[in-house]
Amino acid sequence: MASMYNFDKVIERRGTASVKWDQVETMFGQADILPMWVADMDFEAPPAAIEAMKERAAHGIFGYTYRSPSYLEAVASWQERKHQWSFDQSWIVGCPGVVTALSILVELLTEPGDNVMIQVPVYHPFYRIISSHGRNIVANQLVLTESGRYELDLAEMERQIIEDKVKILILCHPHNPVGRVWTKEELTEIGNLCVKHGVFVLSDEIHGDIVYKGHKHIPFASLSDAIAKQTVACIAPSKTFNIAGLHSSLAIIADPELRERFNFRLQTFAISMENCFAQVAVEACYRQGEQWLEELLAYLQQNIDVMEQFVAYQLPGVKMYRPEGTYLAWFDCREISADPEVLKDLMFNKARVAFNEGSMFGAEGAGFLRVNFGTPRSLLLEGLERFEKALKQK
């Protein structure tokens, strides 16, 4: 079938107050840097979302907006169709972002001094969420095998849960930055451990729709009723459909008391209502965006193939661990240097390209780089070629 969407199209994003493109000089010191860092893509959103927002704008009145029954049905229907997860629509609570939801939930479910587990290296805001509330980080380290795949250390995880009296696990699922899509067997083992020891799970599933052939996203709360009762799933259309700037995400909360407390906190902060443009765009994406997503995933999978070949033959000293999900690749550059400052200099000053330097995801990430490949192939190749040239000059 012929492609309906042109992901090769390069769109000028400078001058749009883009964090990714317009802040490179402020953040990295050079104005001509090619940004391949923060997790937003350089593709147009699905046409259905654009048209829905145009139609909403034409109405001309932009008052307070609630999440309509049709909106909630679209969210639930997407999860059932894509991930075979059925739940009561009353479980859905909207909020501006996944990080916002996680932060509120850590505050509601723990007390200052309590211990919260993360699996490192991991998405860097997790550290800030925990420490800013006066909670302690328990770092459960993922194990990098010789095959280049990160695995769970479940025995160490259980030991830490018991000895450190862990109250919450923040699960990154699929995992950012290492690109793992946890299997049903792995998730079940995590879930059983958490039920056994009374650990509440905050499951960040923002990348759950960006999963490649041979892998399947399993919503954590779908594993069993017991697991669902002590889980909050945080999902969003932002990564899936490249609409992060609309600030729309959802917490799926089975426990009615926690759901009520969470809702009350959102209302306290006056962030409980949906943006009027997000309301229509999100529903349009979930109802009409499936073909767009299928083509996006095929394009991203081709980008992975291109990167894999490029790294293997043109970037000596670099290994790429093929992502199972997300549009973020994890480059092992430890043969070049494990010093974050050396890699920053190589990227920003010599290559004029901005990948994420790995130690921002925890000390375990030192010597690694996270590469956003959610971009037209011409820009992806330009970034890789800039890095290749800098390596040869080094």
Side-chain angles (χ1 to χ4, degrees):
M1 186 174 66
S3 175
M4 292 175 61
Y5 308 104
N6 181 14
F7 294 105
D8 282 322
K9 181 181 177 183
V10 176
I11 301 167
E12 179 58 71
R13 296 187 63 188
R14 294 179 185 89
T16 62
S18 164
V19 169
K20 182 177 183 179
W21 285 84
D22 287 327
Q23 290 196 311
V24 290
E25 185 170 14
T26 301
M27 298 192 69
F28 308 115
Q30 310 289 343
D32 61 345
I33 280 177
L34 181 64
M36 298 176 68
W37 59 293
V38 68
D40 88 27
M41 296 186 286
D42 295 313
F43 306 127
E44 289 179 331
I50 296 169
E51 289 306 312
M53 286 188 285
K54 284 180 179 177
E55 185 176 331
R56 183 67 185 82
H59 182 263
I61 299 176
F62 313 112
Y64 294 122
T65 306
Y66 72 103
R67 294 169 184 87
S68 69
S70 177
Y71 172 101
L72 298 176
E73 194 279 329
V75 172
S77 175
W78 178 269
Q79 289 294 318
E80 187 170 13
R81 279 197 326 277
K82 298 298 289 183
H83 307 301
Q84 294 73 57
W85 181 28
S86 298
F87 52 82
D88 194 301
Q89 290 173 33
S90 68
W91 293 10
I92 303 170
V93 184
C95 55
V98 165
V99 172
T100 304
L102 293 173
S103 182
I104 291 172
L105 289 161
V106 166
E107 184 185 18
L108 290 177
L109 291 165
T110 60
E111 299 294 334
D114 282 348
N115 294 332
V116 178
M117 176 175 282
I118 53 177
Q119 293 169 308
V120 297
V122 75
Y123 180 53
H124 54 96
F126 288 4
Y127 296 89
R128 184 174 69 247
I129 289 167
I130 298 167
S131 60
S132 67
H133 288 300
R135 279 60 168 173
N136 304 313
I137 294 168
V138 177
N140 174 242
Q141 189 165 337
L142 299 175
V143 178
L144 180 57
T145 64
E146 288 188 9
S147 67
R149 193 170 191 251
Y150 281 86
E151 303 285 357
L152 300 166
D153 186 342
L154 291 159
E156 176 65 5
M157 182 180 178
E158 184 166 29
R159 184 195 68 77
Q160 290 174 297
I161 286 173
I162 295 169
E163 292 187 5
D164 295 321
K165 298 180 173 59
V166 169
K167 295 292 183 68
I168 288 177
L169 166 67
I170 304 181
L171 178 68
C172 200
H173 168 45
H175 195 282
N176 170 14
V178 308
R180 275 300 316 277
V181 174
W182 306 116
T183 65
K184 186 173 184 178
E185 291 71 27
E186 288 171 317
L187 293 168
T188 300
E189 290 188 84
I190 293 172
N192 290 340
L193 273 183
C194 290
V195 169
K196 177 181 176 183
H197 297 291
V199 177
F200 207 96
V201 180
L202 306 181
S203 187
D204 175 358
E205 303 185 11
I206 196 168
H207 290 280
D209 296 320
I210 310 293
V211 171
Y212 303 110
K213 289 179 182 176
H215 306 281
K216 180 170 176 55
H217 174 68
I218 309 291
F220 190 72
S222 72
L223 293 169
S224 72
D225 289 342
I227 290 171
K229 286 176 184 175
Q230 57 189 65
T231 297
V232 174
C234 297
I235 66 172
S238 52
K239 306 302 181 191
T240 308
F241 300 109
N242 204 34
I243 54 173
L246 293 178
H247 297 287
S248 181
S249 76
L250 306 133
I252 315 299
I253 308 175
D255 183 286
E257 181 185 357
L258 178 59
R259 190 164 64 242
E260 185 177 345
R261 292 170 63 207
F262 184 79
N263 254 321
F264 180 77
R265 185 52 55 90
L266 289 173
Q267 290 162 10
T268 301
F269 293 148
I271 52 173
S272 59
M273 287 180 282
E274 184 73 296
N275 173 290
C276 65
F277 290 102
Q279 161 81 16
V280 296
V282 170
E283 183 169 349
C285 285
Y286 280 145
R287 293 196 185 282
Q288 302 173 57
E290 203 154 349
Q291 178 64 34
W292 183 92
L293 177 59
E294 287 180 11
E295 292 194 25
L296 170 72
L297 290 173
Y299 190 87
L300 291 174
Q301 191 133 9
Q302 290 168 358
N303 273 1
I304 293 172
D305 294 339
V306 166
M307 275 192 304
E308 198 166 51
Q309 290 293 308
F310 196 101
V311 170
Y313 294 105
Q314 294 172 253
L315 296 182
V318 179
K319 297 174 185 173
M320 185 187 103
Y321 302 129
R322 188 178 179 93
E324 300 169 355
T326 82
Y327 49 82
L328 306 163
W330 193 232
F331 283 14
D332 185 344
C333 302
R334 289 175 294 175
E335 285 185 28
I336 298 167
S337 179
D339 184 343
E341 296 308 313
V342 170
L343 292 180
K344 287 178 184 177
D345 179 62
L346 182 64
M347 284 189 293
F348 308 148
N349 299 323
K350 295 183 172 63
R352 295 292 205 271
V353 65
F355 307 138
N356 285 110
E357 186 277 309
S359 69
M360 71 185 298
F361 304 101
E364 301 77 11
F368 292 79
L369 299 174
R370 191 188 77 168
V371 180
N372 179 348
F373 60 90
T375 196
R377 199 153 300 133
S378 60
L379 294 181
L380 172 63
L381 285 168
E382 182 182 343
L384 294 173
E385 286 163 0
R386 288 187 185 197
F387 196 58
E388 176 192 22
K389 184 177 178 182
L391 280 179
K392 286 180 177 177
Q393 290 172 345
K394 182 176 184 296

